[in-house]
Amino acid sequence: MHPPQMRAQARALRVRGHSIRAVARKLSLPYATVWHWCVDRPEPVRRGTELRCFRCRPDVDNPTDPGAYAYLLGLYLGDGHLVTTARVPVLRIYCSNTWTGLIEACDVAMRAVLASKVQRIQKQGCVGVQSYGLHWPCLFPQHGPGRKHERPIVLADWQRPIIEQRPGDFLRGLFHSDGCRTANRVTVRGKAYVYPRYMFVNESADIMGLCQWGLDLLGVAWRMNRRNSLSVARRDAVVTLDRHIGPKS
């Protein structure tokens, strides 16, 4: 059985005007298989998102908006869930009711990356920002059964250059989901001090490692204050993150 990504790629080529024979030759597939996908059982109602999926378009190597993709990937790794068991996959990002600006930013990022329609489902204490689309699994290959901290989370080879180019957007997604900017209060020899710091908490060692990697790309100093908790507290490091992340709103 051929993977869904290959079927989507064949249909995308066909939509762009390639003949059945040309598509079969380009993808090293039998003519009958391509004819079945593109003629016998076409997918006309979903060609809009198919054309926007940069992983299924042979003429596009990167997302149209790499910053939005890096941000959405960070949100997904933090508070996201991709359901692939339904007829049409659905990407859901859960945002606290408190952060109305975050809810809007998530909605905008989904539309910039792939979605033609985004829904906001009210839950107890949070909003599920969600979008249905056949091609979400193409863009988030980290999806899988079980909780993220109970399975490996590894970036695909094509994802790493995007994050290397836009580490600030990626970190903004991570910190907007599983992080915060707080005022830390300490007392030294009877004198109280208050200073800002960023915290990121995640149970997945792999996702924590990706956060550390993103901070290293920006030259931001960090330290682990607990097994599952990272802190950025040096003044220059906080200033750098303020430029890229800032407090949630």
Side-chain angles (χ1 to χ4, degrees), residues 3-245:
Q5 292 88 341
M6 181 166 288
R7 180 170 62 250
Q9 188 175 2
R11 285 171 171 160
L13 286 169
R14 179 62 176 159
V15 168
R16 294 181 62 80
H18 293 266
S19 68
I20 298 296
R21 192 172 301 280
V23 174
R25 184 168 55 250
K26 186 176 185 64
L27 300 180
S28 300
L29 291 168
Y31 178 93
T33 298
V34 178
W35 185 89
H36 177 69
W37 288 347
C38 300
V39 179
D40 186 33
R41 300 190 66 181
E43 196 179 33
V45 297
R46 298 189 179 102
R47 284 177 179 171
T49 56
E50 184 172 281
L51 288 174
R52 297 193 66 196
C53 177
F54 66 93
R55 292 299 300 158
C56 294
R57 292 184 58 181
D59 59 329
V60 178
D61 295 325
N62 294 302
T64 303
D65 190 334
Y69 176 78
Y71 177 62
L72 191 59
L73 176 61
L75 289 179
Y76 163 72
L77 292 178
D79 286 329
H81 181 50
L82 180 55
V83 180
T84 58
T85 54
R87 185 174 64 87
V88 179
V90 56
L91 174 67
R92 293 192 180 101
I93 309 291
Y94 294 98
C95 308
S96 170
N97 288 334
T98 307
W99 314 116
T100 56
L102 171 57
I103 295 170
E104 180 63 25
C106 180
D107 186 309
V108 169
M110 282 188 177
R111 296 178 190 272
V113 173
L114 183 71
S116 57
K117 182 179 180 181
V118 177
Q119 299 170 311
R120 302 184 186 185
I121 309 300
Q122 183 63 56
K123 305 285 186 178
Q124 185 173 0
C126 69
V127 173
V129 184
Q130 68 178 35
S131 169
Y132 288 86
L134 287 178
H135 294 268
W136 285 122
C138 308
L139 304 183
F140 296 98
Q142 287 70 38
H143 71 87
R147 299 176 179 178
K148 296 191 190 80
H149 68 275
E150 296 175 344
R151 54 186 171 87
I153 300 293
V154 181
L155 292 185
D157 291 342
W158 58 266
Q159 289 176 302
R160 297 187 69 85
I162 298 173
I163 304 307
E164 288 170 348
Q165 295 167 13
R166 306 302 295 260
D169 294 299
F170 178 60
L171 289 170
R172 187 161 58 95
L174 288 177
F175 277 89
H176 278 184
S177 56
D178 279 344
C180 62
R181 186 185 190 275
T182 64
N184 193 42
R185 293 172 171 81
V186 297
T187 301
V188 179
R189 289 189 289 274
K191 186 175 181 179
Y193 295 88
V194 180
Y195 63 90
R197 70 171 176 175
Y198 282 86
M199 300 290 296
F200 179 74
V201 180
N202 196 289
E203 291 295 328
S204 168
D206 288 341
I207 295 176
M208 183 63 72
L210 291 174
C211 181
Q212 295 166 353
W213 175 55
L215 292 169
D216 290 341
L217 289 173
L218 286 182
V220 171
W222 54 269
R223 69 180 182 88
M224 298 297 295
N225 57 333
R226 293 196 307 274
R227 172 193 58 80
N228 63 342
S229 176
L230 177 148
S231 171
V232 175
R234 284 178 49 173
R235 182 178 300 175
D236 58 336
V238 171
V239 169
T240 299
L241 288 190
D242 280 343
R243 291 201 304 268
H244 292 279
I245 301 173

